[in-house]
Amino acid sequence: MIVFCSACNKFSFTKKENFQQLDTIVDFTSVDTFPSFTVCDSLIDKNKKYNCFRNTIHKKIGEELLTYSLSTKDSINETIFVDLIIDTKGKVHLEQLNSSEKIKTEFPELDSLLKLSVAKLPKIYPAIKRGIPVTSKYQLPIKIKLEN
C-alpha cells in the first residue's frame, strides 16, 4: 500500500490535448484583399491595388456625373460623401448620400443621378477576408464645384 500511495504522483490524471489553437479572433474592420476592378488585378502590392481601386471608382463616377448638366443660381464648392456597399458578388449599391441642405435643395435629382452612375460601373471583384468574398463598405467623397 505504501508503494501504491507514493507512486500516485507519477501518474497524470489531467487530460493533455495536443491540438493547435485556432485563431478565433477576426478583425472585421479590415480585409485581406480590397475590392478590385479588372484593370487593378495585375497589381500585387496591397496599397497600390487599393489606390488603383480608389482612383478608378472616383474616375468612373466622376466621368458619368459630368455627362449630366447641373446648374444653379449660386456658386457651390462643397464635398458630399456617398456610402457604397460592394457585396460578395461584386454588385455595388448606393447605401446613403451625405450632403448639406444646400445641395439637397439645389439638386434634388442628385441621388438618382448617383444611383445611375453607380449602376454603370464596370465589374468589381469583392473584397476578400481569409479567402472568402465579403461585403465591404466604401465612402466616396465627391467634390461639387459649380460657378456662375
Side-chain angles (χ1 to χ4, degrees):
M1 183 89 144
I2 293 175
V3 174
F4 181 69
C5 290
S6 65
C8 286
N9 63 354
K10 303 289 185 214
F11 297 107
S12 174
F13 293 108
T14 60
K15 187 176 181 180
K16 290 184 182 177
E17 294 183 23
N18 292 329
F19 65 89
Q20 186 177 8
Q21 282 281 47
L22 293 175
D23 183 16
T24 57
I25 299 173
V26 179
D27 181 12
F28 290 106
T29 60
S30 68
V31 292
D32 299 335
T33 306
F34 292 104
S36 177
F37 289 99
T38 306
V39 296
C40 305
D41 275 351
S42 62
L43 299 172
I44 296 171
D45 183 57
K46 189 175 180 178
N47 289 330
K48 287 181 181 177
K49 198 168 198 170
Y50 174 69
N51 287 334
C52 178
F53 168 75
R54 201 177 80 168
N55 292 336
T56 304
I57 199 165
H58 282 258
K59 181 181 170 191
K60 296 290 183 187
I61 290 181
E63 286 173 352
E64 187 63 32
L65 285 176
L66 287 175
T67 62
Y68 304 109
S69 60
L70 299 173
S71 61
T72 180
K73 296 176 276 183
D74 302 325
S75 295
I76 292 180
N77 187 8
E78 291 189 30
T79 301
I80 62 171
F81 294 95
V82 179
D83 293 338
L84 301 174
I85 300 290
I86 303 167
D87 68 16
T88 58
K89 296 187 185 347
K91 288 203 170 262
V92 184
H93 309 279
L94 178 69
E95 182 186 42
Q96 185 177 3
L97 172 65
N98 300 313
S99 61
S100 67
E101 287 301 318
K102 182 177 182 179
I103 295 287
K104 288 177 184 175
T105 53
E106 290 287 329
F107 309 112
E109 73 280 359
L110 185 61
D111 190 22
S112 58
L113 294 177
L114 281 167
K115 283 183 183 176
L116 288 172
S117 299
V118 166
K120 292 182 180 180
L121 285 172
K123 180 172 175 49
I124 295 179
Y125 298 103
I128 304 291
K129 181 72 172 184
R130 294 187 168 193
I132 301 169
V134 293
T135 299
S136 58
K137 183 176 182 178
Y138 181 75
Q139 189 172 63
L140 178 70
I142 297 175
K143 182 102 169 158
I144 297 181
K145 187 173 184 177
L146 296 172
E147 297 175 353
N148 286 348

